[in-house]
């Protein structure tokens, strides 16, 4: 009965969000409550939901202040010098980028880089994996940094290959035109919030934050709370400006944090009712015995097609907990399964379920299908590079010896 309820709940959840009948936020709250009531768990629903929310509170806090911190850095102009440097390299002329390189290649490289960077703790997949399996996001992310670096190297090699080919095709493009005043170029949407005189302070603060994050000196939520507070006081000492900066990004914060706490209800009921245990046992009965110790690698491989054909919410909240519970019987930890589950992100961003990819192809002026056909093979290659690096570094096991 529990096995049936569990799989029915997951399938119903996945169906409703993939067919856009309900948003992920609402489905994560309503669906488990209905199934718990149907299963006769009415007296225990409250404590189960509260336990799930409590376990995810640190992740929600971390994401809230991470989003606010990096939004603050963008507003203050920390990343403006890097943007200006890129524009100087192409002489400030967008024609050199759009004509000097094929838009299809350019869009492909952007999506590959985005797929790797999407694995950071403040990105969606890592946060979802952490919340679904109740593990610390830093325990997922920090050991994955070398593997992510391998993915970045692979992307740079792909970019170098196509850059050389485009140079051979077009030659070097020299355009004559008026010089552009790069000092006025900014990625900030709020000109009044720019703080060019504090760039070095903000850079040092961000560098220190990254070092302490990797070093694990303090819990991730605390690090971002402290860094955000320092950045706010130094950059915007006026109380009204502080309120304006928070208000400007409250929509982004609410969307992400609300989803995390809603996931607490889903995972709380899934675990508290015993559904996830029953589902994992049925999965163990189906998986051949010789494949059990390889569940981490299997999860990394299936994360490519699964996150392509279904949303991240469906995969991380619906499929991953069951795989992780099954893997635990072979001695593979939840955090190792979480690391394996984010390997497929470069492929995920090519999914027709990802809205930002439509924006990218629209801005690049290319066909979505052409973009998929060109980029998919390279996305799979980058995922394989990340997987191999993770296995060589012991980020998660090739197989369990338990």
């Amino acid at each position: 009965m529990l096995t049936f309820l569990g799989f029915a709940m997951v399938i119903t959840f996945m169906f409703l969000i993939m067919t856009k009948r309900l948003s992920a936020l609402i489905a994560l709250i309503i669906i488990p409550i209905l199934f718990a009531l149907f299963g006769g768990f009415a007296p225990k629903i409250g404590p189960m939901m509260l336990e799930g929310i409590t376990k995810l509170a640190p992740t929600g806090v971390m994401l809230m202040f991470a989003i606010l911190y990096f939004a603050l850095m963008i507003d203050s102009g920390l990343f403006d010098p890097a943007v200006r440097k890129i524009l100087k390299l192409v002489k400030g002329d967008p024609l050199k980028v759009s004509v000097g390189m094929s838009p299809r290649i350019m869009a492909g490289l952007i999506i590959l880089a985005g797929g790797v960077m999407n694995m950071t703790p403040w990105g969606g997949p890592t946060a979802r994996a952490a919340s679904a399996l109740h593990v610390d996001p830093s325990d997922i992310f920090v050991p994955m940094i070398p593997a992510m670096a391998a993915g970045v190297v692979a992307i740079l090699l792909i970019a170098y290959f196509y850059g050389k080919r485009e140079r051979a095709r077009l030659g070097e493009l020299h355009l004559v035109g008026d010089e552009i005043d790069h000092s006025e170029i900014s990625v900030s949407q709020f000109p009044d919030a720019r703080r060019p005189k504090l760039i070095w302070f903000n850079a040092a603060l961000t560098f220190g934050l990254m070092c302490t994050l990797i070093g694990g000196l303090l819990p991730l939520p605390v690090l971002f709370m402290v860094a955000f507070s320092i950045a706010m006081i130094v950059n915007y000492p006026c109380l009204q400006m502080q309120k304006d900066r928070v208000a400007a990004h409250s929509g982004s914060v609410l969307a992400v944090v609300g989803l995390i706490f809603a996931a607490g209800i889903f995972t709380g009921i899934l675990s508290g009712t015993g559904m996830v245990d029953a589902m994992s046992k049925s999965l163990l009965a189906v998986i051949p015995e010789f494949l059990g110790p390889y569940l981490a690698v299997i999860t990394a491989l299936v994360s490519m097609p699964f996150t392509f054909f279904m949303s991240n919410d469906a995969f991380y909240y619906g499929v991953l907990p069951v795989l992780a519970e099954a893997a635990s019987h072979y001695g593979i930890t939840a955090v190792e399964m979480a690391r394996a589950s984010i390997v497929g992100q470069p492929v995920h961003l090519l999914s027709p379920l990802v809205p930002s990819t439509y924006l990218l192809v629209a801005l690049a002026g290319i066909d979505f299908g052409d973009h998929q056909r060109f980029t998919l093979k390279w996305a799979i290659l980058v995922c394989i590079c990340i997987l191999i690096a993770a296995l060589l570094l012991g980020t998660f096991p090739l197989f369990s010896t338990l």
Side-chain angles (χ1 to χ4, degrees), residues 283 287 295 299 302 306 315 319-328 337:
L283 189 63
I287 295 176
L295 272 173
T299 298
V302 301
F306 274 32
F315 176 69
V319 177
L320 182 58
V322 180
L323 290 173
E325 182 63 28
S328 68
M337 289 293 286

Side-chain angles (χ1 to χ4, degrees), residues 334-352:
V335 74
E336 289 171 333
M337 289 293 286
R339 293 170 194 157
S341 71
I342 62 175
V343 166
Q345 283 307 298
V347 170
H348 164 71
L349 288 190
L350 292 170
S351 168

Side-chain angles (χ1 to χ4, degrees), residues 152-168:
V152 171
V153 170
I155 294 169
L156 291 174
L157 290 174
I158 295 168
Y160 179 79
F161 166 76
Y162 277 108
K164 293 279 286 185
R165 201 175 78 168
E166 290 295 281
R167 178 184 288 177

Side-chain angles (χ1 to χ4, degrees), residues 204-253:
L205 179 62
T206 303
F207 179 75
L209 173 62
M210 293 298 105
C211 290
T212 51
L213 184 155
I214 293 171
L217 299 182
L218 286 172
L220 217 57
V222 176
L223 283 175
F224 277 107
M225 290 174 75
V226 172
F228 168 74
S229 300
I230 294 171
M232 185 68 89
I233 291 171
V234 174
N235 285 273
Y236 310 103
C238 172
L239 182 60
Q240 185 57 47
M241 293 196 74
Q242 292 179 5
K243 291 180 179 179
D244 291 342
R245 298 277 48 78
V246 173
H249 304 288
S250 58
S252 300
V253 172

Side-chain angles (χ1 to χ4, degrees), residues 132-163:
L133 301 184
H134 299 153
V135 296
D136 191 323
S138 64
D139 290 339
I140 302 174
F141 170 64
V142 174
M144 283 294 291
I145 291 175
M148 290 171 62
V152 171
V153 170
I155 294 169
L156 291 174
L157 290 174
I158 295 168
Y160 179 79
F161 166 76
Y162 277 108

Side-chain angles (χ1 to χ4, degrees), residues 122-207:
W122 44 93
T126 301
R128 285 174 173 86
S131 59
L133 301 184
H134 299 153
V135 296
D136 191 323
S138 64
D139 290 339
I140 302 174
F141 170 64
V142 174
M144 283 294 291
I145 291 175
M148 290 171 62
V152 171
V153 170
I155 294 169
L156 291 174
L157 290 174
I158 295 168
Y160 179 79
F161 166 76
Y162 277 108
K164 293 279 286 185
R165 201 175 78 168
E166 290 295 281
R167 178 184 288 177
R169 182 174 69 90
L170 295 171
E172 292 194 34
L173 186 63
H174 298 282
L175 300 175
V176 179
D178 296 330
E179 288 296 321
I180 295 175
D181 184 5
H182 295 91
S183 64
E184 295 302 318
I185 295 173
S186 174
V187 293
S188 173
Q189 299 179 30
F190 308 96
D192 294 340
R194 292 176 61 191
R195 294 293 183 268
K197 293 181 180 179
L198 293 173
I199 270 189
W200 287 110
F201 171 81
N202 289 330
L205 179 62
T206 303
F207 179 75

Side-chain angles (χ1 to χ4, degrees), residues 286-363:
V286 174
I287 295 176
E289 188 69 26
F290 72 93
L291 288 180
Y294 297 91
L295 272 173
V297 175
I298 291 171
T299 298
L301 292 173
V302 301
S303 70
M304 289 186 264
F306 274 32
T307 58
F308 181 87
F309 291 109
M310 65 176 68
S311 69
N312 272 341
D313 294 314
F315 176 69
Y316 287 103
Y317 296 129
V319 177
L320 182 58
V322 180
L323 290 173
E325 182 63 28
S328 68
H329 294 275
Y330 295 95
I332 303 172
T333 66
V335 74
E336 289 171 333
M337 289 293 286
R339 293 170 194 157
S341 71
I342 62 175
V343 166
Q345 283 307 298
V347 170
H348 164 71
L349 288 190
L350 292 170
S351 168
L353 302 173
V354 179
S356 59
T357 306
Y358 289 103
L359 175 62
L360 174 64
V361 297
L363 292 174

